[in-house]
């Protein structure tokens, strides 16, 4: 696969339409095969912008959140063009494979504050075999699948990278993401996917056999296979749960160890710590004494009279309730009293006495109750012993008998603190100066214990998985023999036997191809490292760990070299050598885009990279360089392999960059 063209249209530092022709000629004259495109620019001229433009056009939002993506592209429009009234910028990237040509055009739109408001991604595909061109409309998920089938996202750090940051590949090599990326690059995942697909077919055929075969022995065998498959799945689930937890604990243990080291480095003598504790105890005692003083001055009366106040409040509450109920009952007869008071008793002949009038009032009350449906409620007789006003009653009822202080706890805490203070004062007299990290050691020990426990479970589940796989394999072998023994073998039986044989062959092939790829990676890595590294460096032997997919280097004494402790330049050379080895082993032809590949390197390493690396790395290598990296002393050699060169010229007055043909003129 080759990149053909990159077009930057008012994108970031680039004003107007700026075009980079990245195509590599198919027909080339010997003796040199040209593969290099050299783009030169001073710091700040926009080299990294080109590298990131290629990356973001290809992979969009993969690996980052929507918020991070919006923050990256806010203000991405060229300032000069924006001031002229423009509100859109775009990047177009074209690439070619044997079957097709693809053009991806991404346009970003902005508001008046340069905030990103829209992104439009257009994909044009030209099918060479059908000789037709089509525009594809895709969702984000469909686009990601489209691009990952052609240039997998996981392998991006291996072919689009900053030369000064490529050392991170070595720092991150012992991770699952890196292992998956390496498998994608060297095409191992294709073979493993083949085995997975075959097992799915095998499982489907087993289900069909289970339904179609009436032989009880075969059905029992199929049930056993299903049972072990379920157990296998559950065990794998447990492993998937435990593995990330172990990683979290390892990280936690590392952080605890760092904190412990800092404590050992920063802690003062222990007598200082004792003095701090004494000061703390004294401050707490002072506060307790203040609280006790406040208690004596304000709350002690509440404590002494608490029971009496509560009894009084209860009695007053009952009296209040009685008076309210009585008043409520009597209010129902106010109209009756008014009726009797308005009667002119003097007109009655003969006149009635006062006692007779009272008798009439008493006799008439039941009739009044009946006529007006008044509900009667028997009020128990009660003596009102507290003759106080409603306001005084309310004040008494609102008296709070609770105290703000738990006097028992305060006194106990005071005794405890005084005892601790006395002990610390004794300790202070002859205090040694050790640094106590026992708590840190205990925490680290607890974390390590949990890690060991989880690793033990992990080992147990892995043993179960091996056992279940063996049981499944044995059952399938028996099933195959039983089916082969049947005279009337159905088409499904034949298919099952064929798939089983294919799986066995594929398993053997994957193992052999893995060994072969690992051997090739080791060979290519060691071969290029010997050419690139200085002779005075201690690298003697190389090993590629195919279980974890990491490179290990040993010195002349057979001791492993700790790669993360090497200099930035050495790490860069090792990482580039690793990329070389993967590229030469890969079944995936990739173009390379490398920013500032020589910045951190000394003259010897630079010379080795120029002569042995870039011209042989891939069919297309795009180098973004300053004038102090690929200098005049290297140009005579590089021009043998250079397809074309560009330079990025920054306009100081108008504050934008233009792309010009031709690399730096060193004359």
């Amino acid at each position: 696969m080759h990149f053909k063209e990159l077009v930057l249209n008012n994108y970031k530092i680039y004003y107007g339409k700026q075009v980079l022709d990245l195509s590599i000629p198919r027909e080339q004259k010997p003796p040199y095969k040209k593969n290099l495109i050299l783009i030169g620019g001073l710091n700040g001229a926009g080299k990294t912008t080109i590298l990131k433009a290629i990356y973001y056009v290809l992979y969009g939002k993969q690996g980052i959140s929507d918020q991070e993506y919006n923050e990256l592209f806010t203000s991405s429009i060229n300032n000069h063009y924006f001031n002229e009234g423009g509100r859109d910028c775009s990047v177009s990237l074209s690439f070619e494979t044997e079957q097709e040509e693809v053009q991806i055009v991404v346009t970003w739109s902005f508001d008046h504050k340069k905030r990103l408001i829209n992104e439009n991604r257009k994909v044009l595909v030209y099918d060479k075999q059908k000789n037709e061109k089509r525009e594809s409309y895709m969702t984000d998920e469909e686009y990601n699948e489209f691009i990952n089938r052609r240039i997998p996202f996981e392998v991006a750090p291996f072919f689009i990278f900053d030369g000064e940051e490529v050392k991170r590949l070595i720092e991150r090599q012992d991770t699952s993401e890196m292992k998956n990326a390496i498998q994608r690059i060297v095409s191992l995942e294709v073979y493993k996917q083949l085995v997975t697909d075959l097992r799915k077919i095998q499982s489907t055929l087993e289900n069909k056999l289970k339904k179609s075969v009436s032989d009880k022995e075969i059905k029992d065998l199929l049930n056993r296979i299903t049972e072990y498959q379920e157990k296998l799945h559950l065990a794998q689930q447990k492993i998937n749960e435990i593995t990330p937890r172990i990683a979290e604990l390892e990280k936690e243990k590392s952080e605890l160890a760092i904190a412990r080291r800092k404590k050992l480095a920063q802690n003062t003598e222990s007598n200082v710590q004792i003095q701090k504790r004494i000061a703390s105890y004294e401050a707490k005692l002072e506060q307790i004494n203040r609280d006790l003083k406040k208690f004596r001055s304000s709350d002690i009366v509440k404590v002494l009279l608490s029971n009496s106040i509560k009894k009084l409040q209860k009695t007053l509450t009952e009296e209040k309730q009685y008076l309210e109920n009585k008043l409520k009952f009597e209010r129902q007869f106010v109209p009756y009293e008014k009726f009797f008071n308005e009667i002119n008793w003097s007109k009655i002949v003969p006149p009635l006495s006062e006692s007779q009038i009272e008798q009439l009032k008493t006799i008439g009350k039941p009739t009044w109750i009946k006529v007006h449906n008044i509900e009667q409620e028997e009020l128990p007789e009660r003596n009102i012993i507290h003759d106080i006003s409603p306001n005084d009653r309310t004040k008494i009822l609102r008296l709070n008998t609770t105290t703000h202080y738990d006097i028992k706890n305060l006194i106990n805490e005071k005794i405890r603190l005084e005892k601790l203070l006395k002990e610390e004062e004794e300790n202070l007299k002859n205090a040694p100066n050790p640094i106590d990290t026992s708590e840190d050691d205990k925490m680290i020990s607890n974390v390590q214990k949990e890690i060991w426990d989880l690793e033990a479970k992990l080992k147990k589940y892995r043993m179960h998985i091996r056992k279940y796989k063996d049981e499944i394999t044995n059952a399938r072998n028996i099933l195959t023999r039983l089916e082969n023994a049947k005279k009337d073998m159905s088409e499904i039986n034949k298919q099952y036997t064929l798939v089983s044989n294919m799986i066995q062959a594929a398993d053997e092939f994957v193992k052999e191809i893995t060994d072969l790829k690992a051997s090739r990676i080791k060979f290519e890595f060691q071969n290029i490292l010997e050419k690139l590294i200085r002779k005075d460096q201690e690298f003697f032997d190389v090993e590629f760990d195919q279980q974890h997919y990491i490179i290990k280097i040993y010195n002349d004494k057979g001791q492993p070299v700790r790669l993360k402790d090497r200099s930035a330049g050495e790490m860069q050379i090792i990482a580039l050598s690793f990329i070389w080895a993967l590229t030469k082993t890969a079944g995936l032809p990739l173009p390379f885009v490398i920013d500032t590949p020589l910045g951190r390197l000394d003259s010897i390493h630079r010379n080795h990279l120029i002569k042995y690396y870039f011209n042989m790395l891939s069919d297309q290598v795009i180098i973004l360089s300053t004038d102090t990296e690929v200098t005049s002393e290297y140009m005579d050699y590089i021009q043998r392999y250079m397809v074309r060169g560009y330079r990025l010229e920054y306009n100081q007055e108008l504050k934008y960059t233009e792309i010009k043909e031709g690399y730096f003129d060193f004359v």
Side-chain angles (χ1 to χ4, degrees):
M1 191 195 85
H2 295 131
F3 291 137
K4 291 189 65 180
E5 184 181 69
L6 179 69
V7 181
L8 307 169
N9 200 342
N10 294 306
Y11 178 72
K12 293 196 174 182
I13 202 170
Y14 293 95
Y15 174 69
K17 183 178 181 181
Q18 304 291 324
V19 181
L20 283 170
D21 181 2
L22 305 176
S23 60
I24 303 294
R26 292 180 180 275
E27 302 295 331
Q28 297 191 24
K29 296 180 180 179
Y32 302 113
K33 182 179 180 181
K34 296 180 181 292
N35 69 326
L36 300 181
I37 295 174
L38 192 57
I39 303 172
L42 302 180
N43 291 332
K47 299 186 301 300
T48 303
T49 299
I50 290 175
L51 178 128
K52 290 186 176 180
I54 293 173
Y55 179 88
Y56 288 127
V57 167
L58 285 175
Y59 298 111
K61 299 178 182 178
Q62 291 193 69
I64 57 176
S65 66
D66 289 344
Q67 181 180 350
E68 290 172 325
Y69 189 80
N70 288 335
E71 290 175 357
L72 281 171
F73 286 95
T74 291
S75 299
S76 290
I77 189 171
N78 179 265
N79 290 331
H80 190 71
Y81 177 65
F82 182 83
N83 293 333
E84 292 177 342
R87 293 295 181 266
D88 298 305
C89 68
S90 66
V91 176
S92 169
L93 178 67
S94 304
F95 62 85
E96 180 180 22
T97 67
E98 293 183 1
Q99 296 80 26
E100 62 185 5
E101 292 181 12
V102 178
Q103 181 186 17
I104 304 168
V105 183
V106 184
T107 303
W108 296 275
S109 301
F110 304 85
D111 63 11
H112 65 287
K113 292 185 179 180
K114 292 188 182 179
R115 293 177 299 201
L116 180 65
I117 57 176
N118 185 50
E119 175 192 293
N120 180 51
R121 183 177 297 269
K122 182 168 65 173
V123 181
L124 302 170
V125 181
Y126 171 67
D127 190 320
K128 295 179 180 179
Q129 295 178 344
K130 297 181 180 179
N131 193 25
E132 63 180 23
K133 190 173 186 178
R134 68 182 186 278
E135 181 175 349
S136 298
Y137 299 91
M138 307 177 189
T139 63
D140 288 346
E141 292 77 10
E142 290 170 340
Y143 174 76
N144 292 342
E145 183 180 353
F146 170 85
I147 202 67
N148 289 336
R149 285 200 308 268
R150 291 156 177 82
I151 323 173
F153 170 69
E154 296 92 340
V155 307
F158 292 90
F159 77 99
I160 303 176
F161 57 83
D162 184 330
E164 296 183 356
E165 299 297 329
V166 71
K167 63 185 181 66
R168 292 181 181 174
L169 294 178
I170 299 301
E171 295 171 348
R172 294 172 48 240
Q173 67 171 334
D174 192 11
T175 62
S176 59
E177 294 87 352
M178 188 64 66
K179 180 177 179 179
N180 292 336
I182 295 170
Q183 288 181 333
R184 290 292 295 268
I185 292 173
V186 299
S187 303
L188 283 177
E189 88 288 349
V190 175
Y191 307 127
K192 292 186 176 181
Q193 185 61 45
L194 170 63
V195 176
T196 300
D197 293 341
L198 286 171
R199 292 199 183 280
K200 288 180 180 178
I201 296 172
Q202 185 183 48
S203 180
T204 301
L205 292 173
E206 286 168 354
N207 289 333
K208 290 181 178 179
L209 283 171
K210 187 175 180 180
K211 294 177 182 178
S212 61
V213 175
S214 59
D215 192 321
K216 184 179 182 305
E217 186 178 2
I218 292 179
K219 284 188 176 181
D220 290 343
L221 205 56
L222 292 169
N223 287 333
R224 194 197 312 172
I225 292 173
T226 302
E227 177 187 348
Y228 280 114
Q229 283 177 330
E230 290 173 354
K231 290 181 178 179
L232 182 66
H233 177 69
L234 289 174
Q236 189 61 56
Q237 278 187 326
K238 292 293 184 181
I239 288 176
N240 293 340
E241 292 170 4
I242 291 173
T243 302
R245 176 58 183 158
I246 290 177
E248 291 174 5
L249 290 170
E250 290 286 2
K251 182 179 178 182
E252 182 181 347
K253 186 178 76 171
S254 176
E255 291 172 350
L256 287 171
I258 292 171
R260 179 179 178 277
R261 288 196 296 272
K262 288 182 178 179
K263 183 175 179 181
L264 289 171
Q266 298 176 2
N267 269 2
T268 56
E269 295 181 352
S270 61
N271 56 6
V272 176
Q273 301 301 320
I274 293 174
Q275 289 172 348
K276 287 182 180 178
R277 290 197 293 274
I278 289 174
S280 173
Y281 296 154
E282 288 175 341
K284 291 178 181 178
L285 276 172
E286 185 178 347
Q287 180 61 45
I288 288 174
N289 289 330
R290 284 198 296 269
D291 291 343
L292 289 172
K293 185 177 180 181
K294 288 181 181 178
F295 175 79
R296 288 194 298 270
S297 63
S298 60
D299 288 358
I300 192 168
V301 175
K302 290 183 181 180
V303 174
L304 294 174
L305 298 179
S306 174
N307 291 335
S308 299
I309 292 173
K310 289 179 180 177
K311 288 180 181 179
L312 177 60
Q313 287 174 333
K314 180 181 178 183
T315 303
L316 289 176
T317 300
E318 292 173 350
E319 290 181 353
K320 179 183 176 184
Q321 186 64 43
Y322 172 77
L323 291 173
E324 288 176 351
N325 291 340
K326 182 177 179 182
L327 181 61
K328 178 181 176 183
F329 182 75
E330 290 176 349
R331 281 176 180 169
Q332 298 180 87
F333 294 96
V334 170
Y336 183 71
E337 294 289 340
K338 184 178 179 183
F339 166 73
F340 261 87
N341 292 336
E342 289 178 354
I343 295 175
N344 190 354
W345 299 104
S346 62
K347 292 183 179 182
I348 298 176
V349 181
L352 298 175
S353 65
E354 290 295 328
S355 63
Q356 289 174 325
I357 292 173
E358 284 299 320
Q359 287 178 11
L360 283 173
K361 185 187 290 188
T362 302
I363 294 170
K365 185 174 285 188
T367 304
W368 180 273
I369 290 172
K370 185 175 181 181
V371 170
H372 291 87
N373 295 321
I374 295 174
E375 294 183 3
Q376 298 186 71
E377 182 179 351
E378 291 295 330
L379 295 177
E381 289 298 326
R382 182 182 182 89
N383 292 327
I384 305 301
I385 61 176
H386 299 98
D387 186 12
I388 59 176
S389 68
N391 286 339
D392 290 340
R393 180 186 289 109
T394 301
K395 288 180 181 178
I396 294 173
L397 290 175
R398 287 180 177 175
L399 281 176
N400 187 4
T401 60
T402 59
T403 176
H404 296 291
Y405 304 98
D406 187 338
I407 190 65
K408 182 178 180 181
N409 286 343
L410 279 176
I411 293 172
N412 289 338
E413 182 63 11
K414 181 179 180 181
I415 294 171
R416 188 184 73 85
L417 288 172
E418 287 174 344
K419 181 181 178 182
L420 290 174
L421 188 60
K422 186 177 180 181
E423 291 174 355
E424 292 294 353
E425 287 172 346
E426 286 296 321
N427 292 337
L428 187 61
K429 294 178 181 178
N430 299 307
N433 298 322
I435 298 174
D436 184 14
T437 59
S438 59
E439 187 63 28
D440 303 80
D441 296 336
K442 182 179 178 182
M443 293 172 67
I444 293 173
S445 176
N446 290 339
V447 173
Q448 183 61 62
K449 183 178 182 302
E450 188 174 351
I451 291 173
W452 286 336
D453 290 343
L454 290 175
E455 286 178 341
K457 291 180 180 179
L458 206 60
K459 183 178 179 180
K460 179 185 73 173
Y461 287 124
R462 283 174 176 159
M463 289 175 61
H464 287 170
I465 284 177
R466 286 195 294 271
K467 174 187 173 184
Y468 299 148
K469 285 184 176 179
D470 289 342
E471 292 289 348
I472 291 171
T473 300
N474 292 336
R476 283 173 173 165
N477 290 338
I478 295 171
L479 183 63
T480 301
R481 288 197 297 271
L482 288 174
E483 290 303 315
N484 286 335
K486 293 174 68 72
K487 294 181 180 180
D488 187 16
M489 181 180 289
S490 67
E491 185 63 29
I492 295 177
N493 301 142
K494 295 177 182 178
Q495 293 175 9
Y496 185 84
T497 303
L498 179 61
V499 170
S500 298
N501 292 337
M502 289 176 65
I503 289 174
Q504 184 178 355
D507 280 333
E508 294 175 2
F509 176 77
V510 167
K511 183 180 182 305
E512 291 180 7
I513 198 68
T514 301
D515 293 341
L516 181 63
K517 295 276 187 180
S519 175
R520 178 70 186 275
I521 289 172
K522 174 186 175 181
F523 171 79
E524 293 291 349
F525 179 84
Q526 190 165 18
N527 185 44
I528 192 65
L529 187 66
E530 289 174 354
K531 293 180 180 178
L532 299 183
I533 208 74
R534 293 199 313 267
K535 300 304 180 185
D536 61 342
Q537 290 166 318
E538 56 176 335
F539 302 156
F540 184 76
D541 193 16
V542 170
E543 176 189 348
F544 179 71
D545 184 341
Q546 66 186 66
Q547 181 179 358
H548 300 97
Y549 285 79
I550 60 175
I551 283 288
K552 296 179 181 178
I553 300 178
Y554 299 88
N555 59 23
D556 56 356
K557 298 178 181 179
Q559 299 169 331
V561 177
R562 182 173 167 81
L563 299 183
K564 294 181 181 180
D565 293 339
R566 311 304 295 186
S567 69
E570 289 177 324
M571 289 274 282
Q572 183 176 338
I573 290 295
I574 293 168
L576 290 173
S577 299
F578 194 27
I579 289 173
W580 170 283
L582 295 176
T583 302
K584 298 306 177 185
T585 310
L588 185 67
L590 294 173
F592 281 79
V593 184
I594 310 173
D595 186 14
T596 56
L598 307 176
R600 292 181 179 269
L601 304 178
D602 56 34
S603 60
I604 296 176
H605 284 144
R606 287 189 182 190
N607 188 59
H608 290 172
L609 280 176
I610 294 293
K611 289 187 176 181
Y612 306 123
Y613 192 83
F614 297 125
N615 60 320
M616 299 288 289
L617 177 62
S618 172
D619 289 341
Q620 184 182 46
V621 179
I622 302 165
I623 299 176
L624 299 147
S625 167
T626 65
D627 60 341
T628 59
E629 290 182 88
V630 180
T631 59
S632 58
E633 63 180 299
Y634 300 126
M635 285 306 297
D636 288 341
Y637 187 84
I638 281 184
Q639 282 178 346
R640 304 174 187 175
Y641 307 98
M642 195 168 81
V643 177
R644 66 184 66 84
Y646 295 97
R647 66 186 182 279
L648 310 178
E649 291 191 356
Y650 181 69
N651 188 318
Q652 292 287 351
E653 180 181 352
L654 299 178
K655 308 297 183 187
Y656 62 72
T657 293
E658 293 180 289
I659 299 175
K660 305 288 187 180
E661 290 190 7
Y663 191 62
F664 292 112
D665 187 358
F666 294 108
V667 176

